[in-house]
Amino acid sequence: MSLTSKTTDTTQVITVHSDRIDAAMAIQFKEDMRSTAQGGAPRVVLDLTDVEFIDSSGLGAIVASMKQLGSERRLDLAGLHPFVEKVFRLTRMDTVFKLYPTLDDALTAAAD
Amino acid sequence: MGAMAMCDENCMDLNFAATEAEASTGIARISTCLEAQGLPQHKAADVKIALAEAINNVVEHAYAGITPAKVKVRCRLHENWLEILISDTGNPLPGFRVPDGVPAPLGSSLDDLPEGGFGWFLIHELTSEIRYEHTNGCNRLSLRFDFPRLG
C-alpha cells in the first residue's frame, strides 16, 4: 500500500496507489492514513482513481480513517470506479461520505 | 499461490492457503477467469464482492484461533447461472446456519459508524441463493447467482 499526499490551501489530497483496498491491506491502509493525514488541512480528499476493488474490510478501513480525523476535519472521496461506488451504495456509506466521480470534481466543489 | 486444477469453458477449481494474502490473489484470479469464461459483465462486480466477503469470512472467522488450512473454491458457470462452492475445514458457522443479512446500522454520530459487519449483508444482497452445510468437519457454502439472459 502506498499513499502520496499533496496539500493546497485548505485541502489535503491523499492518493491511493493500489488497485485494491481489501482485507489483506486494510490494517496497513488505516495506519498509513493515520500518519499521512496527521496535522494536515481541515479537508482531506481521498483519491481512489487507481482503486478497482474494495471489500468490506477496505470499506471499514476508510470509515476508520474518517474517525481518526476527528470531528474538526472531513474526509471526501474522489475517483470512484463503478465497482467501488457499488460497495458504498449497498452499505449506504454513500450517505455518510461525499463521493465525487473525479478528483477534479472534488477540488472544484471545494471552491464553491 | 494455490493450484488451479482446471480453467476450461465452464469449470474452475482453485485451492489456496487460508491467509489474507493468498485470498486476495485468489479472489482476483477467480474473477478474471470467470469473466474470461463468459460471466456477464453486469454480474461480474456482484460475484466478486460476494466471493470476496465469503472467502474473507473463512480466513478471518472459520480459521480463527486454529491453524489455517486450505480454502477450496469450485465454480460452475452455466448458461443462466453461476454456482460457487467454497469449502474449508475450519470452525462451523455459529449455530450451523447462514447468518442473517442484516445491514450494519449507520448510527447517529461519527463514532457510531460501523467499521465492519457488512459481509453477510452483502452476500445476501448479491446472491440468488445461499446454502450451507457442515459435514465431516467440513464447511460447504454454496452461492448461486442467476442472470437471466435477454432474448
Side-chain angles (χ1 to χ4, degrees):
Chain A
M1 169 70 49
S2 140
L3 303 177
T4 55
S5 165
K6 206 167 100 179
T7 301
T8 50
D9 296 333
T10 55
T11 301
Q12 178 181 17
V13 176
I14 298 178
T15 306
V16 181
H17 300 280
S18 169
D19 64 353
R20 54 190 124 151
I21 307 177
D22 64 8
M25 55 187 68
I27 290 171
Q28 189 64 50
F29 173 81
K30 198 169 129 180
E31 309 229 319
D32 290 352
M33 277 295 285
R34 188 197 296 277
S35 53
T36 307
Q38 201 163 32
R43 181 186 187 222
V44 178
V45 175
L46 187 64
D47 180 6
L48 296 170
T49 306
D50 287 353
V51 180
E52 293 167 1
F53 177 69
I54 190 168
D55 64 10
S56 65
S57 301
L59 179 70
I62 291 180
V63 172
S65 302
M66 182 167 75
K67 290 184 185 178
Q68 284 171 179
L69 291 177
S71 51
E72 304 292 302
R73 302 171 72 195
R74 57 184 270 200
L75 180 65
D76 294 342
L77 310 178
L80 280 79
H81 279 246
F83 187 109
V84 175
E85 200 203 336
K86 181 157 196 177
V87 174
F88 276 84
R89 192 154 35 82
L90 286 167
T91 55
R92 294 187 299 135
M93 280 296 168
D94 60 341
T95 63
V96 171
F97 291 92
K98 274 204 170 174
L99 312 180
Y100 297 95
T102 67
L103 180 58
D104 278 349
D105 291 331
L107 297 177
T108 309
D112 289 346
Chain B
M1 192 61 240
M4 180 161 327
M6 54 180 124
C7 185
D8 65 15
E9 197 173 291
N10 53 26
C11 311
M12 185 198 345
D13 290 350
L14 185 64
N15 302 335
F16 50 88
T19 65
E20 287 179 340
E22 293 257 333
S24 177
T25 317
I27 292 158
R29 202 161 157 194
I30 294 165
S31 311
T32 306
C33 190
L34 285 172
E35 283 194 70
Q37 288 180 343
L39 177 68
Q41 210 172 8
H42 70 271
K43 210 65 195 170
D46 292 5
V47 170
K48 191 172 184 183
I49 296 168
L51 178 70
E53 298 303 332
I55 291 176
N56 288 341
N57 280 340
V58 172
V59 175
E60 287 166 35
H61 302 297
Y63 288 120
I66 57 174
T67 308
K70 292 273 181 192
V71 184
K72 295 184 182 180
V73 184
R74 162 167 294 200
C75 304
R76 293 291 178 268
L77 181 61
H78 303 262
E79 178 71 19
N80 297 318
W81 52 283
L82 165 71
E83 183 161 41
I84 300 182
L85 178 66
I86 299 164
S87 337
D88 64 79
T89 52
N91 299 312
L93 287 173
F96 298 92
R97 55 182 290 273
V98 173
D100 293 334
V102 183
L106 296 183
S108 54
S109 72
L110 183 67
D111 284 340
D112 286 346
L113 281 176
E115 295 174 35
F118 309 108
W120 280 106
F121 166 71
L122 289 170
I123 296 170
H124 278 274
E125 197 75 0
L126 298 169
T127 55
S128 308
E129 190 185 62
I130 307 172
R131 279 179 296 154
Y132 170 74
E133 58 174 26
H134 181 85
T135 44
N136 301 323
C138 184
N139 292 307
R140 293 160 161 277
L141 180 72
S142 161
L143 308 178
R144 206 189 72 216
F145 303 84
D146 294 340
F147 36 90
R149 292 178 200 259
L150 299 173

